Amino acid sequence: MRPDSEAELSEMVKAAAALQITGGGTRGIGRATGAVLATTGLCGVQLYEPGALTLVARAGTPVAEIAALLASERQRLAFEVPDLRALLGRTGASTIGGVVAANASGPRRVQVGACRDALLGVRFVDGQGCVIKNGGRVMKNVTGYDLVKLLAGSQGALGVLTEVSFKVQAVPEAEVTLVAERALPQGLADLRRALGSPFDVSGAAWVAGRAMIRLEGMAGSVAYRAGKLRDLLGFEAAPADWSAVRDVTAFAGRAGAVWRLSVKPTAAADLVQRLDLEAVCDWGGGLIWLLDPTGQADVRAAVAGVGHATLIRPLPGMTAPAFPPEPPAVAALTAGLRAQFDPRQIFNPGMMG
Amino acid sequence: MDMPLPDAAIIARKSAITARLRSVLPADAVISDPAETRAYECDALTAYRCAPMAAVLPRTTEEVAAVLRICHQEGVPVVPRGAGTSLAGGSLPTADCVLIGVARMNAVLETDYDNRFIRVQSGRTNLSVTGAIESDGWFYAPDPSSQLACAIAGNIAMNSGGAHCLKYGVTTNNLLGVTLVQMDGTVVEIGGPWADAGGIDLLGVICGSEGQLGIVTEATLRILPKPEGARPVLVGFDSNEVAGTCVSDIIKAGILPVAIEFMDRPCIRATEAFAKAGYPDCEALLIIEVEGAPQEIAEQLARIKAIALQHNPVEFREAADEDQAKRIWLGRKSAFGAMGQINDYMCLDGTIPVSALPYVLRRIGEMSAACGLDVGNVFHAGDGNMHPLILFNANKPGDLERCEAFGADILKLCVEVGGCLTGEHGVGIEKRDLMSVQFNPADLEAQLRVKDVFDPGWLLNPAKVFPLEATASRRGAGASPHTPRIFAQRG
Ligand SMILES: Cc1cc2nc3c(=O)[nH]c(=O)nc-3n(C[C@H](O)[C@H](O)[C@H](O)COP(=O)(O)OP(=O)(O)OC[C@H]3O[C@@H](n4cnc5c(N)ncnc54)[C@H](O)[C@@H]3O)c2cc1C
């Protein structure tokens, strides 16, 4: 199924028994079943005002199209859309709606927040075929409940997104990365010091024995801050590929299960050492990607109390749910929301467990 | 502004209900004497007043849960209150409610610089969160002008913003986790000191839900290292249009000031008369503040100056020292007080796309002339969050109503140009009946369904946010409207 309009989508939803919502089909985390509903027919940028830093696009618009349009005005989506195709072994073109449904956010999270923080408004079709809008296209909006946040990261469980609006960002004129060879505990400790400094770090990652700190902004300011951090931590400027951090290319094409952990940063080093797995760390240790060659590690037990883990790429035969189990009171609220917005349980059945 | 008729059956059971409350709280934490409950009869929207049936002042999450369990069993509506500075009537009680004030819950529970968060009880005031960490070089970014008084609880409920939110975001962008007590007494922990709360973003919908989904008792907040310094410049223009274009050009150039504030001529004149900050007498004035080390500040200001000079400002004033910087902010900071000297005022906070600024200001001027009430505009221009201050005389019969009607027209205009009714103050009772201007019935119904999940009995702050007729069936039958206004006074 591939509706070309919100109205057509609404009719399809009303008639459907089970729908697996796909944008570009580039993510596919979890184990959804049902008839495939492609959002790619709902595409096109509706509004772009560079002077107001706002962009409104239909949900099926390819991310690449949006990135190119923004680049023509030297602007971008601040939260750095990850491209996990190589990691997940998929092809296809990511859609902006899929990005929002996954709240997919890259290294700049430590400075500007996640996709949800840049999202100003949504339109979506709920499980009964109702078209609902929330938020809008302005930067500050507290009118009614914030369903915009609720939909960001909802993995399609509450509705099919049809339109999304964003606050975008001007591309800064300068960027520099400072690098040092560091063992994990010391590397992460250095990254936390950088994040705890006034020097406005926009990336803090550790990959394969190298700690990396990114600074962006006006040329003079970047040079000044780089000098300060160099003195403080002993890092040196070096070329760096932040898209490799963002896309976890270190694990692409390699056998094993891939986990994504959101944790308290100071717990990261110990956690990785206890599990004894290869790790890529971002967000100063707040985000950990783990490669488990055998799929045997009890990652969920290890992370209890300091964060949570999502199984991004399971090995065949693994039975752990993709999304972290929730405490009963939280699970009851989540289930309640799903029952309200998708009473017939037609969206992505089986995905969020 | 109507409120539902209080439930006489509940009021008749007042002594039994307060006795139950006393059984779970210390004696000094339950207030039921009408002379004392008067202290909670209104928030900063002082035109509307109504004392609660009882007020309770718990000190712990467990006490809040115990109170809510009782109210839930008794079917008593609950109105949560932080510091009572809401401008929208968010914490206005009803005569049949138990008001739960969290002001005594003001402890810092945990400070963790390495992980960049602070955990506090929700009654702690906004400014004292920063106060607890600033000597170590840290701060909590969202800075409502009311920050000396307002509580984190109210900030979370309203998703409050402030002048510096242009760079740092509003409350929701700085909130990592909450402890929430649901109406039936269930305690839920959501999020924590990690970046993603995980699962469906409950935290995101709780923030800004105006006390209708649960009572927030504790909060984990993101904190930031203090920048090395900050400095403002003042730029005067002889047209609103040009000032608006200048804002847009600065933003587009990729400079990220921490604040861009805008004042129009009526507001400039009023503040000059009041605070004598030495502002130029011009049509529009911008205050732009940047942060960083001295050389970073100089770099940004040079860029801003180059852009501003292209628009032929009548004045471009830099601050050579701390004292001059203070003088630049002085007028802006006293703007509300200055307008209050002239008359009573009503402060709106609709947001518009920055590009619509000149048109909206022109229309507000025309509407002001037509209805005969003066209006001054002072607002956060970088994000289009307007703050029109409408002057009226509360002691003149009919003036408040005229002012409210004018305010409603301004807010409708904001929605018409692609904006919204409220950018940071919340809906409360004030904008409740305008919600259908911005949302169609399906949009509203979707929001009501969220409340159905958290508070199926519709007991928490039930008469707020949504038009009364839209919620009547949920709030229970027999809820015919009446007007709680006792008197209006200078706000
Ligand atoms: C002079 C002045 C200037 C202001 N400037 C700004 C500004 O710059 N930016 C801005 O955003 N706002 C501003 N405000 C509005 C107001 O200060 C904010 O809305 C503030 O966040 C309210 O906090 P409070 O603690 O006083 O909340 P209250 O007024 O007590 O309550 C506000 C809402 O929160 C709910 N609530 C309170 N406690 C809880 C709880 N524990 N759990 C759940 N819900 C709860 C209440 O029911 C109510 O709906 C200003 C107000 C004044 C008077």
Side-chain angles (χ1 to χ4, degrees):
Chain A
M1 278 181 267
R2 188 175 172 277
D4 289 319
S5 70
E6 215 170 46
E8 200 182 331
L9 168 63
S10 165
E11 291 309 316
M12 286 176 181
V13 167
K14 282 179 194 159
L19 289 173
Q20 189 180 339
I21 311 165
T22 71
T26 58
R27 283 166 212 283
I29 300 163
R31 306 174 177 92
T33 55
V36 172
L37 174 81
T39 61
T40 44
L42 303 163
C43 66
V45 170
Q46 315 280 96
L47 175 143
Y48 176 36
E49 267 189 29
L53 301 178
T54 32
L55 175 121
V56 182
R58 289 226 179 88
T61 312
V63 173
E65 183 183 327
I66 289 174
L69 176 65
L70 290 171
S72 70
E73 292 283 343
R74 287 195 51 78
Q75 296 187 342
R76 66 186 179 191
L77 292 171
F79 57 90
E80 290 180 276
V81 180
D83 177 353
L84 302 183
R85 282 177 294 184
L87 181 74
L88 299 175
R90 289 175 177 252
T91 53
S94 279
T95 62
I96 196 65
V99 168
V100 169
N103 190 29
S105 315
R108 206 172 289 110
R109 170 85 197 243
V110 291
Q111 185 197 35
V112 299
C115 171
R116 82 194 272 274
D117 297 291
L119 191 66
L120 302 174
V122 293
R123 290 177 68 89
F124 64 99
V125 173
D126 77 0
Q128 316 213 65
C130 272
V131 178
I132 296 162
K133 73 161 185 304
N134 194 262
R137 51 171 284 216
V138 288
M139 303 287 162
K140 272 167 89 181
N141 187 345
V142 298
T143 322
Y145 295 167
D146 193 347
L147 306 189
V148 176
K149 299 277 183 312
L150 202 59
L151 267 287
S154 64
Q155 309 283 350
L158 302 178
V160 186
L161 290 162
T162 58
E163 187 183 283
V164 290
S165 358
F166 287 102
K167 173 182 183 172
V168 302
Q169 185 190 48
V171 177
E173 65 183 25
E175 171 185 333
V176 83
T177 297
L178 300 173
V179 168
E181 301 289 325
R182 292 281 189 272
L184 183 66
Q186 185 57 46
L188 293 185
D190 284 347
L191 296 182
R192 292 197 304 273
R193 274 185 79 189
L195 288 166
S197 78
F199 305 125
D200 207 11
V201 169
S202 74
W206 182 93
V207 186
R210 261 170 40 123
M212 312 159 53
I213 298 170
R214 180 173 61 187
L215 300 167
E216 296 171 295
M218 289 187 189
S221 165
V222 168
Y224 166 76
R225 287 179 282 142
K228 286 283 186 183
L229 284 174
R230 199 179 310 132
D231 295 348
L232 188 71
L233 302 170
F235 282 45
E236 286 303 332
D241 181 4
W242 284 91
S243 65
V245 176
R246 184 192 69 193
D247 305 341
V248 209
T249 50
F251 297 166
R254 293 174 56 194
V258 175
W259 290 87
R260 180 183 182 278
L261 280 59
S262 184
V263 300
K264 189 162 149 172
T266 48
D270 175 59
L271 188 66
V272 171
Q273 282 172 338
R274 263 189 297 136
L275 284 165
D276 196 22
L277 296 175
E278 188 177 334
V280 169
C281 295
D282 198 354
W283 307 349
L287 174 67
I288 308 173
W289 298 89
L290 293 174
L291 181 69
D292 178 7
T294 65
Q296 300 293 314
D298 197 349
V299 176
R300 290 236 157 87
V303 81
V306 293
H308 52 85
T310 304
L311 181 54
I312 294 286
R313 191 184 78 189
L315 280 177
M318 278 175 86
T319 51
F323 293 93
E326 295 174 325
V330 174
L333 289 171
T334 302
L337 288 169
R338 293 185 68 174
Q340 286 287 353
F341 285 91
D342 179 19
R344 296 182 296 131
Q345 301 184 29
I346 59 168
F347 292 139
N348 293 345
M351 179 150 103
M352 282 183 109
Chain B
M1 217 75 68
D2 291 337
M3 289 294 276
L5 204 61
D7 187 334
I10 293 175
I11 296 174
R13 284 187 286 122
K14 173 175 173 176
S15 56
I17 293 164
T18 49
R20 284 196 72 185
L21 294 173
R22 286 205 169 84
S23 73
V24 296
L25 290 179
D28 70 340
V30 182
I31 296 164
S32 58
D33 179 342
E36 292 175 60
T37 52
R38 280 274 307 273
Y40 303 96
E41 68 182 4
C42 70
D43 53 27
L45 185 70
T46 52
Y48 295 91
R49 297 173 183 221
C50 173
M53 178 172 74
V56 297
L57 304 171
R59 288 187 190 276
T60 63
T61 299
E62 293 67 37
E63 286 181 1
V64 170
V67 169
L68 284 170
R69 267 192 298 274
I70 292 170
C71 293
H72 186 242
Q73 286 160 7
E74 300 279 352
V76 180
V78 167
V79 173
R81 179 181 170 106
T85 69
S86 168
L87 289 166
S91 46
L92 174 74
T94 49
D96 56 1
C97 86
V98 169
L99 179 138
I100 301 187
V102 293
R104 286 184 182 171
M105 301 179 61
N106 60 6
V108 172
L109 302 170
E110 189 181 357
T111 309
D112 184 338
Y113 298 129
D114 218 5
N115 289 305
R116 304 188 305 285
F117 74 88
I118 188 170
R119 203 158 58 83
V120 298
Q121 281 188 309
S122 65
R124 194 168 180 88
T125 62
N126 174 293
L127 197 61
S128 69
V129 172
T130 290
I133 53 180
E134 68 184 339
S135 59
D136 294 317
W138 293 75
F139 75 111
Y140 173 62
D143 60 338
S145 322
S146 51
Q147 65 181 158
L148 186 63
C150 66
I152 292 299
N155 293 177
I156 293 171
M158 292 312 200
N159 189 14
S160 301
H164 291 76
C165 290
L166 184 58
K167 177 163 180 190
Y168 297 112
V170 295
T171 303
T172 191
N173 311 112
N174 293 276
L175 181 67
L176 294 169
V178 293
T179 302
L180 179 87
V181 189
Q182 286 176 246
M183 187 63 215
D184 64 2
T186 307
V187 178
V188 205
E189 299 285 345
I190 296 162
W194 36 84
D196 291 312
I200 283 181
D201 195 351
L202 300 176
L203 191 60
V205 79
I206 287 165
C207 190
S209 62
E210 305 205 12
Q212 292 197 307
L213 302 187
I215 298 228
V216 174
T217 56
E218 293 175 14
T220 305
L221 307 170
R222 188 170 76 109
I223 55 174
L224 296 169
K226 257 202 300 216
E228 292 177 89
R231 206 186 311 154
V233 288
L234 180 155
V235 201
F237 294 97
D238 53 17
S239 110
N240 287 328
E241 199 121 20
V242 178
T245 314
C246 183
V247 171
S248 199
D249 286 356
I250 291 170
I251 291 175
K252 209 180 153 210
I255 307 164
L256 190 61
V258 275
I260 306 181
E261 298 289 293
F262 190 121
M263 289 169 75
D264 70 356
R265 189 190 284 279
C267 202
I268 298 169
R269 290 212 166 141
T271 52
E272 257 322 278
F274 177 67
K276 303 196 173 42
Y279 283 0
D281 185 24
C282 55
E283 205 57 42
L285 175 161
L286 300 178
I287 295 172
I288 306 164
E289 179 155 282
V290 297
E291 280 181 352
Q295 56 267 56
E296 293 180 280
I297 287 176
E299 186 182 29
Q300 294 175 80
L301 289 184
R303 199 74 58 88
I304 288 170
K305 187 170 185 174
I307 294 171
L309 292 186
Q310 287 167 12
H311 296 287
N312 299 316
V314 296
E315 172 133 3
F316 186 92
R317 188 182 299 176
E318 295 180 78
D321 54 34
E322 196 52 35
D323 189 54
Q324 288 182 14
K326 279 215 179 87
R327 291 196 72 75
I328 287 182
W329 273 112
L330 176 68
R332 167 63 183 91
K333 292 200 166 155
S334 26
F336 282 47
M339 298 296 277
Q341 286 289 307
I342 304 177
N343 221 328
D344 301 295
Y345 68 78
M346 176 172 155
C347 174
L348 304 165
D349 78 316
T351 308
I352 57 169
V354 180
S355 50
L357 217 57
Y359 170 72
V360 169
L361 287 174
R362 193 165 63 239
R363 286 286 299 128
I364 291 178
E366 289 163 12
M367 286 150 72
S368 158
C371 87
L373 291 176
D374 285 334
V375 58
N377 284 287
V378 46
F379 57 92
H380 313 307
D383 42 34
N385 190 194
M386 315 266 303
H387 278 17
L389 299 167
I390 308 174
L391 297 175
F392 70 103
N393 182 349
N395 297 320
K396 193 165 146 198
D399 235 30
L400 174 65
E401 287 73 12
R402 267 205 303 155
C403 170
E404 285 180 345
F406 180 20
D409 286 342
I410 292 179
L411 295 182
K412 286 177 194 159
L413 174 64
C414 291
V415 174
E416 201 179 288
V417 300
C420 66
L421 298 173
T422 170
E424 56 181 21
H425 296 165
V427 178
I429 58 160
E430 193 200 18
K431 283 148 272 188
R432 194 187 58 193
D433 299 321
L434 289 171
M435 286 290 274
S436 35
V437 173
Q438 188 173 329
F439 297 108
N440 67 31
D443 303 334
L444 283 176
E445 176 66 21
Q447 298 178 38
L448 303 185
R449 282 191 261 150
V450 172
K451 183 161 169 66
D452 289 341
V453 173
F454 283 79
D455 174 24
W458 275 70
L459 288 171
L460 264 169
N461 223 3
K464 313 286 168 67
V465 186
F466 305 106
L468 286 183
E469 63 277 10
T471 60
S473 60
R474 286 168 155 99
R475 283 181 291 106
S480 60
H482 86 131
T483 305
R485 183 183 313 153
I486 295 179
F487 59 89
Q489 75 154 32
R490 191 153 294 215

